[in-house]
Amino acid sequence: MAKGMKAVIVGSGSAVPDPDRGNPSQAVVIDDEILLFDCGERTTINLIKSGINPNDVGHLFLTHLHWDHMAEFGYLVMSTWNCGRRQTLQVYGPDGTEAMVANSIYGTHKADFDFVRGYIRRLPSHITNKPSNDPNVKALDIEVGFELETDTFKVTAGEVVHHQCVGMPSVAYRVESEYGVVAISGDTSPCQGMIDLAKGADVLIHDTAFLDEIIEERQMWSHSGPSGAARVAKEAGVKKLVLTHLGPYTSHPKAIEMGEMYYGPARGPEIWDEIVAKAEAVYDGPVVLAHDALVIDV
Ligand SMILES: [Zn+2]
Ligand SMILES: [Zn+2]
């Protein structure tokens, strides 16, 4: 990609399998540096659709370990290693991340891990662009307040409200560079921690997992609706709000059937305008409805 900073919605969907949307995942690209945030189902393919070679992802920051945010971790690691990735993939995430990474590579994928290693060794010596001898993944458990600063970017992990009370540690992230600031909520209710983390950001990518009325009816207080996401955007004074983690309201009939407990029956396409209108009623800035492989200039 060209010089500058871009926010990429890799997967814009929810936890319900949806032919129209991949599970949650975002990327922030700063010059040649590619930072991936969450790794839900379809991340690898949607990175390619966004113009990003998955082999070039250097850092993966997980907001939490709900399956929809990390289901494709093993696929990303094995497919990029098999396709010749040599650079280290550094993975950061809340408590449990180091164990997840080790279990994935040396547990779930052990047979293939052994296979690829043996396969690499048997490649003829004149092949010089073969993968490294190891998948080169390092993992680190982090907490709220974690900061990673390089010459190119600074990433800060902030506090959110998402099922911590039942044992799901979660964080949000703020990414700063010389070009601007992107804040990524992961899953959260509208909360002060997110407002503080997103202060003055150019782009806020925020959980809009459910309609306002579903959150009320079902007491889904660990997620946000469009009004709540917009309240965070307004109070943080961000320049643009992107609504993501969207349900399968207008998707394939079987996806709607699967998600009916949370999303209700099939809706007409006007539901998307209704979601945006709810946010616009609260927040004066531009509201963008996410879709897969959406690239936003920062
Ligand atoms: Zn979650
Ligand atoms: Zn989620």
Side-chain angles (χ1 to χ4, degrees), residues 13-15 23-24 38 63-64 66-69 162 186-188 207 209 222-223 245 263:
S14 70
N23 282 172
D38 286 340
T63 60
H64 63 303
H66 270 153
W67 79 93
D68 50 323
H69 293 254
H162 184 63
D187 291 2
T188 185
D207 175 346
S222 274
H223 281 285
H245 208 302
Y263 297 102

Side-chain angles (χ1 to χ4, degrees), residues 101-150:
V101 168
N103 287 335
S104 175
I105 298 170
Y106 307 112
T108 303
H109 295 285
K110 182 172 188 314
D112 234 353
F113 172 80
D114 292 340
F115 164 80
V116 176
R117 277 197 136 168
Y119 170 77
I120 292 165
R121 271 196 290 269
R122 282 183 206 95
L123 285 171
S125 55
H126 69 269
I127 296 178
T128 54
N129 61 348
K130 56 189 173 191
S132 58
N133 206 25
D134 187 272
N136 285 337
V137 181
K138 291 198 168 72
L140 184 66
D141 288 356
I142 62 157
E143 293 181 340
V144 169
F146 166 82
E147 289 182 353
L148 177 69
E149 190 161 8
T150 71

Side-chain angles (χ1 to χ4, degrees), residues 10-50:
V10 181
S12 61
S14 70
V16 176
D18 181 352
D20 290 349
R21 297 179 187 276
N23 282 172
S25 177
Q26 299 80 200
V28 175
V29 183
I30 307 149
D31 296 337
D32 296 327
E33 192 85 63
I34 297 158
L35 315 179
L36 182 62
F37 294 85
D38 286 340
C39 191
E41 169 271 341
R42 232 174 301 169
T43 293
T44 314
I45 291 290
N46 283 347
L47 280 169
I48 291 169
K49 286 184 176 173
S50 307

Side-chain angles (χ1 to χ4, degrees), residues 19 53 55 67 98 107 127 143 159 196 213 232 251 257 292:
N53 183 338
N55 280 16
W67 79 93
E98 292 174 12
I127 296 178
E143 293 181 340
E159 191 165 5
D196 294 343
E213 53 270 33
V232 173
S251 186
E257 192 178 297
D292 287 12

Side-chain angles (χ1 to χ4, degrees), residues 45-286:
I45 291 290
N46 283 347
L47 280 169
I48 291 169
K49 286 184 176 173
S50 307
I52 296 170
N53 183 338
N55 280 16
D56 295 335
V57 175
H59 298 79
L60 167 60
F61 299 87
L62 298 167
T63 60
H64 63 303
L65 295 173
H66 270 153
W67 79 93
D68 50 323
H69 293 254
M70 47 65 75
E72 197 162 303
F73 175 75
Y75 183 87
L76 177 77
V77 168
M78 297 306 291
S79 64
T80 53
W81 184 34
N82 183 52
C83 287
R85 177 174 54 80
R86 278 183 290 279
Q87 75 160 312
T88 299
L89 176 65
Q90 179 69 58
V91 185
Y92 307 88
D95 197 23
T97 297
E98 292 174 12
M100 183 279 287
V101 168
N103 287 335
S104 175
I105 298 170
Y106 307 112
T108 303
H109 295 285
K110 182 172 188 314
D112 234 353
F113 172 80
D114 292 340
F115 164 80
V116 176
R117 277 197 136 168
Y119 170 77
I120 292 165
R121 271 196 290 269
R122 282 183 206 95
L123 285 171
S125 55
H126 69 269
I127 296 178
T128 54
N129 61 348
K130 56 189 173 191
S132 58
N133 206 25
D134 187 272
N136 285 337
V137 181
K138 291 198 168 72
L140 184 66
D141 288 356
I142 62 157
E143 293 181 340
V144 169
F146 166 82
E147 289 182 353
L148 177 69
E149 190 161 8
T150 71
D151 291 344
T152 314
F153 64 84
K154 180 181 174 186
V155 174
T156 307
E159 191 165 5
V160 288
V161 177
H162 184 63
H163 296 302
Q164 283 93 338
C165 55
V166 284
M168 181 51 72
S170 303
V171 297
Y173 291 103
R174 175 186 179 93
V175 190
E176 297 166 72
S177 77
E178 63 172 299
Y179 305 108
V181 177
V182 177
I184 298 164
S185 76
D187 291 2
T188 185
S189 66
C191 66
Q192 190 59 45
M194 197 59 230
I195 293 167
D196 294 343
L197 191 72
K199 268 286 179 264
D202 296 279
V203 179
L204 167 61
I205 301 166
H206 201 285
D207 175 346
T208 314
F210 299 110
L211 302 177
D212 293 350
E213 53 270 33
I214 293 284
I215 291 180
E216 288 289 333
E217 266 170 40
R218 296 189 170 270
Q219 304 191 355
M220 311 289 281
W221 305 126
S222 274
H223 281 285
S224 301
S227 302
R231 199 162 70 245
V232 173
K234 181 185 178 180
E235 291 184 26
V238 305
K239 298 193 183 78
K240 185 178 281 182
L241 170 62
V242 182
L243 305 177
T244 194
H245 208 302
L246 301 167
Y249 306 104
T250 58
S251 186
H252 192 281
K254 292 299 171 191
I256 294 168
E257 192 178 297
M258 237 184 130
E260 199 162 349
M261 177 180 156
Y262 295 105
Y263 297 102
R267 305 289 293 260
E270 66 280 358
I271 186 66
W272 303 116
D273 290 339
E274 284 174 33
I275 289 170
V276 171
K278 284 259 186 193
E280 285 176 341
V282 176
Y283 167 67
D284 287 337

